[in-house]
């Protein structure tokens, strides 16, 4: 049985991904870069940090800020290269997103 298990699962590549939390952000790290997966804050303004842990924030994941109806402004650092689908879905009061602020 052990041989069968190793034969089947031993050849499956596992991604280098870790799910982490810092401050109001949930994020995952892949290949040394952080992607925000969820924002848990409640304020009307959020500044996304350029680093979480020791990793540059390069992405905002799918639905990361979803349903944050109090959110009005978001400032993203220069390091962000990608914003996922529905990242700001149902953020009805969001009026300003500032891109590329070097924080």
């Amino acid at each position: 049985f052990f041989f069968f298990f190793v034969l089947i699962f031993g050849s499956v590549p596992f991604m280098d991904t870790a799910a982490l939390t810092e401050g109001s952000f949930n994020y995952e790290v892949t290949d040394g870069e952080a992607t925000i997966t969820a924002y848990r804050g409640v304020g009307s303004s959020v500044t996304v940090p350029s680093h979480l842990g020791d990793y540059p924030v390069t992405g905002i994941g799918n639905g990361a800020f979803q349903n944050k109806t109090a959110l009005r402004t978001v400032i993203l650092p220069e390091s962000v290269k990608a914003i996922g689908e529905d990242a700001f879905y149902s953020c009805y009061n969001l009026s300003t997103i500032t891109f590329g602020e070097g924080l």
Side-chain angles (χ1 to χ4, degrees):
F1 179 76
F2 179 75
F3 176 73
F4 178 75
F5 182 81
V6 171
L7 182 64
I8 297 298
F9 294 104
S11 63
V12 176
F14 291 98
M15 292 186 64
D16 182 22
T17 301
L20 303 165
T21 299
E22 184 174 313
S24 297
F25 299 98
N26 291 353
Y27 64 101
E28 61 184 29
V29 175
T30 304
D31 297 328
E33 297 181 341
T35 297
I36 293 174
T37 57
Y39 173 66
R40 297 182 330 280
V42 295
S44 64
S45 180
V46 62
T47 299
V48 173
S50 61
H51 286 76
L52 288 168
D54 292 327
Y55 306 100
V57 175
T58 61
I60 307 297
N62 296 343
F65 289 84
Q66 183 172 323
N67 297 320
K68 295 297 181 182
T69 57
L71 195 59
R72 292 175 145 313
T73 62
V74 175
I75 299 172
L76 300 174
E78 291 178 4
S79 58
V80 171
K81 300 182 232 177
I83 298 175
E85 190 172 320
D86 295 328
F88 298 98
Y89 182 78
S90 292
C91 294
Y92 300 117
N93 293 307
L94 182 61
S95 60
T96 305
I97 298 178
T98 303
F99 296 93
E101 291 292 315
L103 301 174

